[in-house]
Amino acid sequence: MFKQHFLWVLYGVFVLLAILFKGEEDLFISSGPYPYGKTVLWATLIAFLLYSLYCHRKENFFKTMAITGKYYWTKQIGVDLYLGVALSASVIYLNEGSLLVLALWMVPLILFANLATLLYFAMNYDSIIRHFI
């Protein structure tokens, strides 16, 4: 049973560590311009997490990938996803200015893709926005 839920336990540990070691920015409230963006990011993360958990209950991810992984479109979607992850990693590096912080985020980014990306962007929304304004 634990083996079946191992990635979700790992994700939970990652989220707890990310929140424990986050910077000084408020977790849920934006104090900068465009404050509703932070709310939208948190809502998107929660919705995507809930849908991912729903999918987990309905189908085994690894069995599904074993079946669909042979199709070119599945491979293209995977490449597309990880190009997006690479772009997100670039934003994390630009925001943090630290290869060490980027390296610490790379494992969750590779394992959880948008579940990690959305968490980082929601937690660091104000500092990311400050880079563009």
Side-chain angles (χ1 to χ4, degrees):
M1 175 113 164
F2 179 75
K3 185 178 175 182
Q4 179 181 344
H5 303 296
F6 174 73
L7 286 176
W8 289 113
V9 171
L10 192 62
Y11 182 73
V13 169
F14 157 66
V15 170
L16 288 174
L17 289 172
I19 290 171
L20 282 173
F21 292 105
K22 76 175 189 55
E24 65 276 351
E25 184 172 323
D26 285 331
L27 191 57
F28 298 111
I29 299 169
S30 173
S31 59
Y34 313 110
Y36 294 110
K38 189 166 192 131
T39 304
V40 169
L41 282 169
W42 278 111
T44 303
L45 171 60
I46 291 166
F48 187 57
L49 176 60
L50 290 173
Y51 183 66
S52 297
L53 289 167
Y54 171 80
C55 291
H56 173 74
R57 288 189 56 172
K58 295 293 183 182
E59 295 179 355
N60 181 294
F61 174 77
F62 297 105
K63 287 181 183 177
T64 301
M65 289 310 297
I67 295 167
T68 63
K70 64 184 176 187
Y71 298 114
Y72 287 108
W73 276 111
T74 302
K75 293 173 186 173
Q76 189 278 343
I77 290 166
V79 170
D80 183 41
L81 173 67
Y82 284 99
L83 281 173
V85 166
L87 290 171
S88 298
S90 299
V91 170
I92 291 171
Y93 175 72
L94 291 172
N95 190 53
E96 299 291 339
S98 167
L99 287 174
L100 176 61
V101 173
L102 174 61
L104 291 172
W105 275 90
M106 282 308 295
V107 172
L109 285 172
I110 291 167
L111 289 176
F112 306 115
N114 288 321
L115 287 171
T117 299
L118 286 165
L119 179 66
Y120 181 86
F121 285 7
M123 287 176 41
N124 297 283
Y125 176 77
D126 288 336
S127 62
I128 293 168
I129 292 298
R130 277 195 299 272
H131 284 290
F132 295 102
I133 294 179

